[in-house]
Amino acid sequence: MSTTSPTVSPTADDRAVVRTLVSLKVRLLRNGLRRSPGRAAGYLAGTCLGLLFGVSTAAGMVVLRGHAGAADVAVMLTAGLAVSWAAMPLFFFAGDESADPTRLTMLPLRPRALLRGTLIGSLVGPGPLVGLLLLIGAAVTAGQGAASAAVAVLAVPLTLLVVIALSRSVAAANARLLSSRRGKDFAIFGGLLFAVLIQLGNLGMQSSFRSPDQGLDLSVLHPYASVLRWIPPVSAIDAVRSAGEGSYLVAALQLALAAGLLTVLLRWWLRSLQALMVSGDASTLVATSSVHSGSGSRAWRLLPAGRAGTVAQRHLRYTWREPRAKAAIFTGIGMTCVIAAMSVVQGWGSVYVIAIGGLMLGLQSANLFGMDGSGFWMVASTLITRRDARDELRGRVYAILAQGVLVLLLVGPVLAAVTGKWAELAPALGVSFAALGTSVGLGAVISVYAPYAVPADGNPMRSAAPGQNGVVMLNAFGSMIGVSLGCAPIGIALGILLISHQSPWPILPVGVLYGAGMALLGIRVASGGLIKRLPEVLARVIER
């Protein structure tokens, strides 16, 4: 007698899992409207702006239909959309709960069912709708005739599936890295770098699209489009153009390339899900062979002795390890580089723009205690005398000054070399150091009289705890107005020297002394206020 083991078909269970995952995505979108009124309004505003961008871009693409080079524009738009979707999980991984597959890997789910459910659920939401609008606009722009319309019916959904599968497979392959602290650091730095590159590319494109008679010249895109049209998923949209021109074999080959990439991405995604379900997280393992201590590093010996040096070292370590503090610093550096690059590209390059860097880096001191959170009570318990408060503030200010001075000394000479205006370097550094010292001095005072708590959820996009938006606005506007008034004497002195055709180099030593004096004055005022207002500062900082 032979016995056969029964085989249970997983089809019904898999379909139920798919339905559950899709309904979960719908519930997540619906719950976005059930948040606080402010968050709901922001969610709706972002959705409306995204849809408006999609509709307006698609309409603009349709207007280009029939112009020479319109198909090249469609190719570039599709390529940009694919790159954006591929980069999205790397930079905004924490902003989408459904993008993290590790939230579901502990459940008794089959990887294939999880993949199908996540793929279908990814088609729901404003993001895929905006992408669909852009792809429809690109297909309409590139096509002509009934053959193009028939191919577009296949090309548009195929391209949308490819970009979504690309985004999800990248997220699944890097899920554990992106959910770690190192991954958040990479997301912050990469997102800022991506924004800087987009802005520089935008400036370059604007200058290239203008022909000598100031008309729109799309021929500059042809060399790039001729290569990108054979790279999937861009090839699927360009198949619409090929079909309209009668090249049916070429159109079929371009569609086949996109379908092949979709197959490869789905297999990669499936393997990543299987690895997440069966392998352990290396970040939870204790490494016993790589224990080191940096207390004896030569760099730390440059800091002053005593409490001020210890506080400065602690603040620098927190800045390096805390993604939100790192995001603020990189934002200041990135904005300085972007403005400097814009000044060079647009023809009004000047070394004086580095003063913006001194201002933005110095304003990192406007909330010196907020990043400590609930741990600030340990610091507060050691603040007995005014000298203790002064040393605490001095250490934190030293850390910010070390970062700001280093950045200014690096960016200033580079900008002077690019623009060739070496004569502006000395006065520009003087103005920058004055702005840096004034902003850190004022920031120390504002940190005492208008402190606020930083959210403890680790999201670098949130800068304040709920209910403290008014304090944040007071802090921001007070900093900007105060620094503008505080730096006015240096600006007036520089203007007088330039108008009278005198050499402005004395602004360098004057700016250094002025900035140092303003920083010391701010610390002195803030130290007295910190002792008097310590309970109130502690209450605001630990409020989460």
Side-chain angles (χ1 to χ4, degrees):
M1 180 181 297
S2 62
T3 59
T4 58
S5 58
T7 59
V8 180
S9 175
T11 304
D13 295 338
D14 290 351
R15 289 177 179 175
V17 170
V18 171
R19 287 194 299 268
T20 301
L21 292 175
V22 174
S23 63
L24 177 62
K25 181 60 179 293
V26 175
R27 288 180 179 273
L28 287 174
L29 295 174
R30 187 186 305 169
N31 291 338
L33 301 175
R34 296 179 179 178
R35 302 176 181 178
S36 62
R39 293 187 181 181
Y43 181 82
L44 289 175
T47 301
C48 293
L49 289 176
L51 294 177
L52 179 62
F53 169 76
V55 172
S56 60
T57 305
M61 294 292 295
V62 173
V63 171
L64 289 176
R65 185 183 183 187
H67 287 72
D72 296 336
V73 177
V75 168
M76 299 300 294
L77 176 64
T78 308
L81 183 66
V83 172
S84 299
W85 275 84
M88 193 181 307
L90 299 179
F91 304 144
F92 303 103
F93 184 76
D96 185 4
E97 296 89 344
S98 62
D100 187 1
T102 58
R103 297 174 181 265
L104 302 174
T105 52
M106 295 301 295
L107 299 177
L109 302 176
R110 294 184 177 89
R112 294 183 182 274
L114 179 59
L115 186 148
R116 284 194 290 267
T118 307
L119 179 62
I120 298 175
S122 300
L123 297 172
V124 180
L129 181 56
V130 173
L132 179 62
L133 291 174
L134 296 177
L135 292 176
I136 291 175
V140 172
T141 303
Q144 51 182 349
S148 293
V151 173
V153 173
L154 296 175
V156 170
L158 176 60
T159 307
L160 184 63
L161 285 175
V162 171
V163 296
I164 290 179
L166 177 61
S167 176
R168 296 302 182 180
S169 57
V170 170
N174 301 277
R176 284 174 177 161
L177 170 65
L178 296 174
S179 59
S180 65
R181 181 177 62 84
R182 295 295 183 187
K184 294 177 181 178
D185 293 344
F186 168 77
I188 293 169
F189 179 75
L192 292 172
L193 180 61
F194 190 63
V196 170
L197 293 178
I198 288 178
Q199 184 64 30
L200 294 178
N202 181 33
L203 293 174
M205 286 295 183
Q206 286 179 1
S207 60
S208 300
F209 281 166
R210 289 294 178 183
S211 61
D213 58 353
Q214 295 300 314
L216 186 63
D217 184 14
L218 300 177
S219 61
V220 67
L221 297 178
H222 183 70
Y224 307 101
S226 61
V227 176
L228 292 175
R229 62 171 37 102
W230 288 103
I231 300 177
V234 183
S235 60
I237 293 298
D238 193 67
V240 178
R241 177 198 59 82
S242 300
E245 295 177 353
S247 303
Y248 301 116
L249 292 179
V250 174
L253 178 59
Q254 288 176 319
L255 290 175
L257 289 175
L261 177 61
L262 178 61
T263 303
V264 172
L265 290 175
L266 292 178
R267 288 184 177 274
W268 181 29
W269 189 1
L270 180 62
R271 289 186 178 182
S272 298
L273 291 177
Q274 291 173 342
L276 289 172
M277 290 180 171
V278 300
S279 62
D281 188 355
S283 64
T284 60
L285 303 178
V286 179
T288 59
S289 61
S290 61
V291 179
H292 63 88
S293 175
S295 59
S297 176
R298 294 182 179 179
W300 301 129
R301 297 176 185 176
L302 299 176
L303 297 173
R307 175 168 183 158
T310 304
V311 172
Q313 180 178 350
R314 182 190 66 200
H315 194 82
L316 289 172
R317 289 182 182 273
Y318 283 178
T319 302
W320 179 250
R321 296 174 180 176
E322 174 58 50
R324 291 165 294 183
K326 197 178 299 183
I329 294 175
F330 284 146
T331 300
I333 299 174
M335 288 297 296
T336 304
C337 294
V338 167
I339 295 174
M342 289 178 60
S343 68
V344 173
V345 172
Q346 296 179 356
W348 55 276
S350 175
V351 189
Y352 288 105
V353 297
I354 64 173
I356 299 176
L359 175 65
M360 298 192 66
L361 293 171
L363 288 179
Q364 306 304 321
S365 63
N367 190 28
L368 288 173
F369 310 115
M371 202 67 65
D372 291 9
S374 57
F376 182 66
W377 72 268
M378 299 182 65
V379 177
S381 63
T382 63
L383 301 178
I384 308 300
T385 64
R386 184 168 180 173
R387 181 175 181 177
D388 296 334
R390 185 171 63 250
D391 290 341
E392 180 71 26
L393 290 169
R394 281 175 53 202
R396 295 174 186 251
V397 167
Y398 284 159
I400 296 175
L401 287 176
Q403 300 164 3
V405 170
L406 179 61
V407 171
L408 293 176
L409 291 178
L410 291 176
V411 176
V414 172
L415 188 56
V418 172
T419 59
K421 300 179 180 179
W422 288 98
E424 295 182 354
L425 179 59
L429 287 176
V431 174
S432 302
F433 291 146
L436 179 64
T438 303
S439 56
V440 296
L442 182 64
V445 177
I446 294 179
S447 298
V448 173
Y449 289 93
Y452 58 89
V454 176
D457 55 4
N459 187 354
M461 302 303 171
R462 294 179 57 197
S463 59
Q468 294 191 352
N469 293 329
V471 180
V472 176
M473 295 296 293
L474 175 63
N475 189 302
F477 282 105
S479 301
M480 297 299 295
I481 296 175
V483 172
S484 301
L485 296 176
C487 294
I490 295 296
I492 294 174
L494 176 62
I496 293 174
L497 291 176
L498 294 177
I499 293 175
S500 60
H501 301 286
Q502 299 293 326
S503 177
W505 72 264
I507 295 296
L508 176 58
V510 172
V512 171
L513 295 176
Y514 185 85
M518 293 296 291
L520 292 175
L521 178 62
I523 293 174
R524 183 177 181 85
V525 174
S527 60
L530 181 59
I531 294 299
K532 297 178 181 178
R533 294 172 47 86
L534 186 58
E536 184 176 353
V537 173
L538 180 62
R540 287 190 178 182
V541 168
I542 67 176
E543 181 180 351
R544 299 243 171 162

